[in-house]
Amino acid sequence: MKLYHAGKEEIRKPDLHRGRKNADFGQGFYLTPDREFACRWAYKGYVVNEYELDLTGLNVISFSRERAWFDYISRNRRSEDTLTADIVIGPVANDTLYDTLGIISSGFLKAEDALALLQIGPVFTQTAVKSMQALQQLRWTGAQKAIDDSYYRDLVRKEESEYQEQFAIYMQKLSDPKG
């Protein structure tokens, strides 16, 4: 499996314990199989690290944008990671990308409404390497410097604007007493 990670530097030996414990898929090293998605977050001067992951013998859990995914990320956001997996693959929660995390994880919304809000916008995939065994099967293959990020910055701004618009429409429906 080919994977990518955008960062300020080359990361030849990732650290599983550097990230937040309450990230969507729990503590681990987060990557994406989508090179273009990694490039969106690689500002000028950043690098897009490239890796290959051998999945042989690993416990891999995959999610799509549905209730099991929502329940899993909700538990992780409360630091209640109970799932044992070497690799977790699934959608990026757009509230972390487009700054609506506080609204969705506030506890004031019904789970169905929070899930509906998380289903707004484009679907991007992330892969979390969560175990030392998986980390040993992840091989850094190189990195490319981001040179001109204006195309991706414009793309992210456009997507974020569309997301915020759709998000506001759904929130308006929630606040309408007529339902």
Side-chain angles (χ1 to χ4, degrees), residues 19-87:
R20 297 182 347 254
K21 289 183 181 182
N22 64 340
D24 286 339
F25 293 164
Q27 194 160 28
F29 183 62
Y30 282 73
L31 306 112
T32 180
D34 183 349
R35 187 179 192 295
E36 183 170 309
F37 178 68
C39 289
R40 291 166 192 250
W41 308 105
Y43 296 94
K44 189 172 183 178
Y46 276 39
V47 296
V48 175
N49 290 281
E50 299 177 8
Y51 302 88
E52 287 180 359
L53 176 62
D54 177 5
L55 297 173
T56 305
L58 298 178
N59 179 16
V60 179
I61 297 177
S62 294
F63 290 103
S64 59
R65 255 187 182 175
E66 38 75 38
R67 185 60 192 246
W69 165 75
F70 172 76
D71 291 342
Y72 180 59
I73 67 172
S74 294
R75 284 191 306 274
N76 282 331
R77 288 178 178 188
R78 295 187 306 271
S79 295
E80 299 170 3
D81 184 2
T82 57
L83 190 63
T84 52
D86 298 306
I87 303 290

Side-chain angles (χ1 to χ4, degrees), residues 5-6 15 25 27 36 40 47 67 73 83 96 98 103 107 130 144 148 150 158 161 164 171:
H5 176 88
D15 181 356
F25 293 164
Q27 194 160 28
E36 183 170 309
R40 291 166 192 250
V47 296
R67 185 60 192 246
I73 67 172
L83 190 63
T96 60
Y98 303 127
I103 295 168
K130 297 182 58 70
Q144 292 184 341
D148 179 14
S150 60
K158 180 179 182 273
S161 176
Q164 295 288 353
M171 291 300 291

Side-chain angles (χ1 to χ4, degrees), residues 142-160:
Q144 292 184 341
K145 265 201 184 297
I147 298 169
D148 179 14
D149 63 352
S150 60
Y151 168 76
Y152 291 111
R153 296 279 72 83
D154 291 344
L155 185 59
V156 168
R157 276 192 287 278
K158 180 179 182 273
E159 285 173 352
E160 184 171 18

Side-chain angles (χ1 to χ4, degrees), residues 82-113:
T82 57
L83 190 63
T84 52
D86 298 306
I87 303 290
V88 179
I89 302 170
V92 175
N94 284 343
D95 63 335
T96 60
L97 296 179
Y98 303 127
D99 203 24
T100 53
L101 175 68
I103 295 168
I104 291 175
S105 52
S106 67
F108 292 110
L109 297 174
K110 294 179 195 166
E112 297 76 31
D113 292 324

